[in-house]
């Protein structure tokens, strides 16, 4: 049961959320909205007279986010089967190289570039496999 919640503001959200053994979150809502706030991961309880209730839309969004996180957690991780000799990867790298070189050549011929500006080499891509 939720009690002694006080006035609701951004700092009080963490104090109003109370989890139980069934991993449900209980949040205060307007008394007339309690029926509509009973969702899978979140349950609404009637707010006290000095409290503002959480909007039902926010509760539904939060419930959807929790449901999505639970489904992601239950899915096995799949690692794409990539090899260094994959022709699609090599073609993609070659295409990007050509585009980068074309952009550099175009930038060097730019009449508005300051005379003392020098193109510095840098990391363009970061691949982690």
């Amino acid at each position: 049961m939720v009690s002694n919640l006080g006035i609701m503001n951004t700092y009080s959200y963490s104090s109003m959320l109370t989890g139980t053994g069934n991993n449900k979150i209980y949040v205060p809502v307007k008394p007339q909205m309690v029926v509509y706030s009973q969702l899978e991961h979140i349950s609404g309880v009637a707010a006290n007279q000095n409290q503002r209730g959480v909007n039902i839309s926010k509760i539904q969004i939060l419930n959807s986010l929790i449901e999505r996180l639970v489904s992601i957690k239950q899915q096995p991780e799949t690692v794409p089967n990539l090899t260094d000799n994959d022709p699609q990867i090599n073609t993609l790298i070659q295409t990007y190289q050509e585009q980068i070189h074309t952009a550099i050549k175009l930038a060097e011929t730019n009449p508005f570039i300051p005379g003392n500006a020098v193109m510095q080499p840098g990391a363009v891509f970061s691949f982690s496999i």
Side-chain angles (χ1 to χ4, degrees):
M1 182 172 174
V2 178
S3 63
N4 299 330
L5 289 177
I7 297 174
M8 194 165 93
N9 59 34
T10 55
Y11 297 109
S12 64
Y13 275 105
S14 61
S15 66
M16 78 175 179
L17 301 176
T18 306
T20 61
N22 63 359
N23 294 330
K24 269 204 171 198
I25 298 173
Y26 293 90
V27 295
V29 295
K30 293 181 181 178
Q32 65 268 26
M33 295 300 203
V34 170
V35 175
Y36 304 108
S37 63
Q38 304 304 313
L39 304 172
E40 185 176 355
H41 301 287
I42 300 175
S43 289
V45 294
N48 293 335
Q49 290 180 352
N50 60 349
Q51 289 179 319
R52 286 181 29 205
V54 177
N55 190 339
I56 295 296
S57 300
K58 291 181 181 179
I59 293 174
Q60 291 172 338
I61 291 169
L62 183 58
N63 189 68
S64 298
L65 289 172
I66 293 171
E67 181 61 34
R68 180 68 180 133
L69 290 173
V70 167
S71 67
I72 288 172
K73 185 177 180 181
Q74 292 174 351
Q75 292 176 354
E77 290 187 31
T78 57
V79 178
N81 186 11
L82 299 175
T83 62
D84 291 336
N85 296 329
D86 190 357
Q88 289 180 342
I89 293 174
N90 292 334
T91 305
L92 188 61
I93 291 172
Q94 185 177 4
T95 303
Y96 286 147
Q97 278 181 331
E98 291 172 0
Q99 289 176 357
I100 290 169
H101 288 296
T102 303
I104 290 172
K105 294 287 184 194
L106 184 64
E108 288 174 348
T109 61
N110 186 355
F112 300 107
I113 193 167
N116 58 357
V118 178
M119 298 292 286
Q120 296 291 326
V124 178
F125 297 103
S126 175
F127 291 109
S128 60
I129 295 178

